[in-house]
């Protein structure tokens, strides 16, 4: 009897096991069918809906940017007759964001290049509008100079450069990659006697003691203050101990031009020129030097020609004199794939040679040895070898060992980056080239 009961129990147990296995197999079959149906129908529909939602969002953003840029342009054109003293600060956020404009003119799409030209606007051409004060942290540290928007020519003021320089026939100092312009502001301020005007002068001693010297502008309350207060910033303080040796390389009277590719930075620098009373001899232009340099120097040459034909009198000759060019601490672009983004290219070297005369100087420096050697290679090979000779005078570049590229700064005045590197006790690598007497050959 016991054996029969055990046998029945085993049979029931096996039956329930088989039933459980069949139920699991049916569930797996159902899941396979459901999953296949999801993959074939539901999932593609969900992805398509998601893509459509993204496209609608992008379209709304483009429309918003287009309408905002159009309103800004209209406001700018309506205020072009106002004096420059009424121009407010630049909104750097708009300078970065409002770089694309939708083409709503209804033109045919037969010419793709023409359509692109009307769709994109140069990033340096954002109008100056009323906004809050600059926030230096909002400036981008790096940009891609090969991006489409940086391949466009910058918009210049009418009658440039005569509209920004008092005498276009003076020799020119060109600083490529000038940043916020602190170096040029300090250089011009020292050389042209403007440094004294930058000191903080107020007639109210109590206001001075209270710390008004740390503000950009002193408000006039009761006509007790007679002078404009200008910020004596930390960079200016840090350069006071350095000796100005520019007279060894630069003529007494010059015009100074700084080029900067980052949007908003050049506009910020130009505002600093007005605050320091350096209008007429110093100016900044936002552009890509590898795109716009030849055009800028050509316009400068045309202005000299018009001036020469007008009165035949001036400090310079009938040709542009690009006396000194400095390229200091450019973006090194470490990645191998980013080497093509570096500022010193054979085309840039050729453009400089086109407008420089025998004895004119190109000064290169960087705190990264590989970056300096990359710039130097462009001047000792190819086109550069034809038109430039590396300087071998006193304090010139050494030829080997630990002293390689250990020349002194020929100008004496350091840049903001240079001050920071020297404080850390790190080396700076420099070299200097002079234009030789080889005539320029445009066919090379």
């Amino acid at each position: 009897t016991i054996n029969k009961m055990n046998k029945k129990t085993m049979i029931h147990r096996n039956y329930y096991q088989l039933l459980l296995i069949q139920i699991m197999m049916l569930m797996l079959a159902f899941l396979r069918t459901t999953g296949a149906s999801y993959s074939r129908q539901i999932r593609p529909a969900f992805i398509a809906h998601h893509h459509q939602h993204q496209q609608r969002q992008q379209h709304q953003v483009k429309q918003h940017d287009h309408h905002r840029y159009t309103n800004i342009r209209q406001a700018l054109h309506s205020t072009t007759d106002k004096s420059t003293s009424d121009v407010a600060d630049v909104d750097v956020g708009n300078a970065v964001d409002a770089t694309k404009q939708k083409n709503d003119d209804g033109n045919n799409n037969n010419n793709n290049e023409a359509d692109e030209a009307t769709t994109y606007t140069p990033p340096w051409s954002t109008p100056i509008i009323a906004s809050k004060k600059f926030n230096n942290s909002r400036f981008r540290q790096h940009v891609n100079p090969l991006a489409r928007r940086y391949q466009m020519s910058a918009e210049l003021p009418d009658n440039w450069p005569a509209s920004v320089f008092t005498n276009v026939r003076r020799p020119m100092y060109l600083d490529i990659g000038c940043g916020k312009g602190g170096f040029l502001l300090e250089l011009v301020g020292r050389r042209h006697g403007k440094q004294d005007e930058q000191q903080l002068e107020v007639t109210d001693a109590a206001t001075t003691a209270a710390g008004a010297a740390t503000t950009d502008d002193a408000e006039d309350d009761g006509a007790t203050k007679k002078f404009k207060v200008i910020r004596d910033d930390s960079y200016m303080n840090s350069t006071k101990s350095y000796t100005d040796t520019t007279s060894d390389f630069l003529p007494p009277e010059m015009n100074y031009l700084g080029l900067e590719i980052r949007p908003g930075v050049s506009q910020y620098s130009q505002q600093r020129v007005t605050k320091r009373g350096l209008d007429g001899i110093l100016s900044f232009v936002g552009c890509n030097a590898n795109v716009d340099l030849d055009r800028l120097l050509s316009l400068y040459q045309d202005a000299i020609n018009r001036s020469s034909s007008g009165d035949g009198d001036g400090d310079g000759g009938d040709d542009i004199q690009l006396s000194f060019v400095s390229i200091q601490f450019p973006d090194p672009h470490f990645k191998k794939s980013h080497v093509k983004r570096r500022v010193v290219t054979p085309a840039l070297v050729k453009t400089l040679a086109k407008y420089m005369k025998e004895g004119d100087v190109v000064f290169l420096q960087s705190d990264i040895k590989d970056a300096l050697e990359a710039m130097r290679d462009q001047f000792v090979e190819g086109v550069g070898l034809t038109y430039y000779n590396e300087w071998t005078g006193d304090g010139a570049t050494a030829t080997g060992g630990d002293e390689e590229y250990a020349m002194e700064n020929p100008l004496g005045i350091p840049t903001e980056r240079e001050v920071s590197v020297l404080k850390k006790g790190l080396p700076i690598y420099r070299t200097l080239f002079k234009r030789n007497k080889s005539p320029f050959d445009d066919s090379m």
Side-chain angles (χ1 to χ4, degrees):
T1 304
I2 294 174
N3 290 336
K4 290 181 180 180
M5 292 178 62
N6 290 337
K7 187 175 181 181
K8 290 181 179 180
T9 302
M10 292 179 62
I11 292 173
H12 287 298
R13 184 182 300 171
N14 292 336
Y15 172 76
Y16 287 121
Q17 288 179 349
L18 290 174
L19 181 62
L20 181 62
I21 291 173
Q22 289 180 351
I23 292 173
M24 293 177 63
M25 292 180 64
L26 289 173
M27 291 178 63
L28 289 174
F30 174 76
L31 291 176
R32 286 199 194 100
T33 305
T34 305
S37 176
Y38 172 79
S39 300
R40 289 193 304 269
Q41 301 176 5
I42 301 177
R43 187 171 182 273
F46 174 78
I47 294 176
H49 175 74
H50 179 67
H51 287 173
Q52 291 176 359
H53 179 68
Q54 285 185 327
Q55 291 176 356
R56 284 195 299 269
Q57 284 186 328
Q58 293 175 358
H59 180 68
Q60 290 174 357
V61 170
K62 289 182 179 180
Q63 280 189 329
H64 175 71
D65 289 343
H66 168 66
H67 293 312
R68 181 174 60 175
Y69 184 82
T70 303
N71 295 335
I72 292 173
R73 295 288 292 183
Q74 292 175 353
L76 176 68
H77 289 305
S78 65
T79 58
T80 52
D81 295 333
K82 292 185 179 180
S83 61
T84 55
S85 61
D86 295 333
V87 177
D89 291 332
V90 179
D91 184 348
V92 181
N94 288 338
V96 175
D97 295 335
T99 57
K100 293 185 179 182
Q101 177 183 357
K102 187 176 177 63
N103 181 17
D104 293 333
D105 297 334
N107 295 330
N108 294 327
N109 295 326
N110 295 332
N111 190 335
N112 292 332
E113 294 182 357
D115 290 339
E116 291 180 358
T118 56
T119 302
Y120 291 88
T121 184
W124 316 278
S125 304
T126 301
I128 298 176
I129 61 174
S131 178
K132 59 185 179 181
K133 293 292 184 180
F134 276 100
N135 181 358
N136 293 345
S137 63
R138 298 180 66 184
F139 290 133
R140 295 193 60 180
Q141 295 299 315
H142 309 279
V143 298
N144 178 10
L146 301 181
R148 182 181 302 175
R149 57 177 177 168
Y150 294 112
Q151 298 301 307
M152 304 185 69
S153 297
E155 293 182 3
L156 300 172
D158 293 337
N159 198 29
W160 190 93
S163 59
V164 297
F165 292 113
T166 304
N167 184 359
V168 295
R169 303 183 66 183
R170 292 174 181 157
M172 178 190 286
Y173 183 108
L174 178 64
D175 189 24
I176 299 177
C178 61
K180 298 177 185 177
F183 166 73
L184 281 181
L185 290 165
E186 178 71 7
L187 173 68
V188 179
R190 287 202 192 187
R191 300 197 74 236
H192 296 276
K194 298 291 185 179
Q195 207 63 316
D196 293 338
E197 298 179 12
Q198 297 178 26
Q199 302 307 312
L200 308 176
E201 301 181 32
V202 290
T203 58
D204 190 343
T207 304
T208 305
T214 60
T215 60
D216 280 338
D217 299 296
E219 297 180 0
D220 191 355
D221 52 332
T224 58
K225 306 176 186 65
K226 297 181 180 179
F227 300 92
K228 185 176 183 181
V229 178
I230 296 190
R231 183 187 299 275
D232 195 6
D233 58 27
S234 58
Y235 168 68
M236 291 174 59
N237 290 327
S238 64
T239 59
K240 289 179 179 178
S241 60
Y242 292 88
T243 304
D244 181 3
T245 59
T246 57
S247 59
D248 298 336
F249 288 90
L250 305 181
E253 297 293 329
M254 299 186 74
N255 289 331
Y256 302 84
L257 178 63
L259 306 182
E260 174 58 38
I261 190 172
R262 288 177 295 165
V265 180
S266 58
Q267 297 165 312
Y268 169 74
S269 303
Q270 187 61 41
Q271 287 190 342
R272 300 177 75 186
V273 172
T274 303
K275 288 182 178 180
R276 286 162 172 75
L278 300 176
D279 291 309
I281 55 176
L282 171 61
S283 182
F284 294 95
V285 173
C287 69
N288 185 343
N290 279 293
V291 174
D292 258 348
L293 181 58
D294 185 70
R295 180 175 74 105
L296 294 175
L297 297 180
S298 177
L299 290 173
Y300 201 94
Q301 178 63 65
D302 293 341
I304 293 176
N305 294 338
R306 289 193 298 270
S307 176
S308 300
S309 61
D311 53 22
D313 189 18
D315 298 331
D318 292 335
D319 292 327
I320 185 174
Q321 186 177 349
L322 193 56
S323 297
F324 201 99
V325 178
S326 59
I327 306 175
Q328 307 179 76
F329 304 95
D331 192 333
H333 292 294
F334 292 109
K335 293 182 180 179
K336 185 176 181 181
S337 60
H338 292 177
V339 169
K340 57 189 176 181
R341 299 182 182 182
R342 290 174 175 169
V343 63
V344 181
T345 63
L348 182 75
V349 174
K350 183 177 179 180
T351 300
L352 293 176
K354 178 180 178 180
Y355 294 96
M356 299 181 79
K357 298 180 180 179
E358 182 180 1
D360 291 342
V361 176
V362 177
F363 174 52
L364 310 173
Q365 70 169 335
S366 176
D367 57 328
I368 300 170
K369 188 175 180 181
D370 290 343
L372 179 83
E373 290 181 337
M375 293 190 289
R376 178 178 177 269
D377 289 345
Q378 301 298 336
F379 286 89
V380 298
E381 300 174 357
V383 176
L385 180 62
T386 304
Y387 298 113
Y388 293 95
N389 298 326
E390 196 162 12
W391 187 48
T392 56
D394 296 336
T397 303
T399 57
D402 296 335
E403 299 299 320
E404 190 174 14
Y405 311 124
M407 66 179 293
E408 296 293 330
N409 189 331
L411 302 177
I413 302 175
T415 67
E416 296 98 326
R417 176 68 178 179
E418 191 172 352
V419 171
S420 175
V421 173
L422 292 175
K423 284 183 177 180
K424 297 176 182 178
L426 301 176
I428 295 179
Y429 308 97
R430 305 182 180 97
T431 188
L432 187 147
F433 291 87
K434 288 191 174 183
R435 178 73 161 86
N436 58 34
K437 60 181 180 182
S438 299
F440 179 75
D441 184 3
D442 198 19
S443 61
M444 292 186 62

